[in-house]
Amino acid sequence: MTLDDLIAERTITRALTLIARAMDDRDWAALDDLTVPDMTANLGTGELGSRAELVASIRSFLDACGPTQHLLGNVVVDVDGDTATSRAYVSDLHLGTGDRSGVTFQTLGDYHDSWVRHGEAWLLTRRVKHNRGHVGSFTALGPGPEGWSPRD
């Protein structure tokens, strides 16, 4: 492993953390500096073909939800020149709000991400979330997108 690989690994790990914090802070504009516009994703609701679609999908869950916390762990980054892949466990807690106060929903999952070097930055090009399990009621999230199930 080279020093450049170690710096890339650290930069990607930081980007992963900033993405999680952007979701919890509802700072959708922060994703502009962390992802490519034409990124793709599958979070369990079907294929998404752009950053705008990703943000819309995440917002369909989090806009009607109370506070959230996305915790990442066991991060593994593999760098290959100007591209990289990462895997990170995610445990996300969602609290209901309003008439859903006291309702919680938590998932255990695994982010499988692809990255591209852009100058000094590493930008997310693809995210796939593998949902391993959930606890609680997804009503904490509000209605969610049509046809979504936490088992997807």
Side-chain angles (χ1 to χ4, degrees), residues 87-106:
R87 293 178 314 178
Y89 287 159
V90 58
S91 175
D92 47 36
L93 176 63
H94 306 79
L95 302 179
T97 187
D99 62 349
R100 297 179 320 278
S101 181
V103 178
T104 64
F105 180 71
Q106 183 173 10

Side-chain angles (χ1 to χ4, degrees), residues 32 88 130 142:
D32 292 351
H130 297 272

Side-chain angles (χ1 to χ4, degrees), residues 72-140:
L72 305 176
N74 296 354
V75 177
V76 177
V77 178
D78 294 306
V79 179
D80 185 12
D82 289 335
T83 62
T85 58
S86 66
R87 293 178 314 178
Y89 287 159
V90 58
S91 175
D92 47 36
L93 176 63
H94 306 79
L95 302 179
T97 187
D99 62 349
R100 297 179 320 278
S101 181
V103 178
T104 64
F105 180 71
Q106 183 173 10
T107 70
L108 298 176
D110 197 6
Y111 288 143
H112 291 221
D113 295 331
S114 298
W115 303 85
V116 65
R117 186 188 316 259
H118 185 76
E120 296 296 315
W122 283 87
L123 302 179
L124 184 65
T125 62
R126 175 142 179 92
R127 166 160 285 178
V128 176
K129 183 180 181 196
H130 297 272
N131 292 305
R132 297 177 181 261
H134 70 278
V135 177
S137 172
F138 64 86
T139 59

Side-chain angles (χ1 to χ4, degrees), residues 11-68:
T11 303
I12 290 168
T13 301
R14 180 174 170 78
L16 282 165
T17 301
L18 291 172
I19 291 168
R21 285 185 169 271
M23 289 189 292
D24 294 332
D25 293 340
R26 310 311 195 261
D27 184 2
W28 311 119
L31 296 177
D32 292 351
D33 296 330
L34 300 165
T35 63
V36 297
D38 61 346
M39 70 167 295
T40 60
N42 190 324
L43 305 178
T45 59
E47 254 336 279
L48 303 170
S50 68
R51 177 194 306 138
E53 288 182 19
L54 173 73
V55 170
S57 178
I58 295 169
R59 291 188 73 174
S60 73
F61 294 109
L62 299 188
D63 279 355
C65 183
T68 61

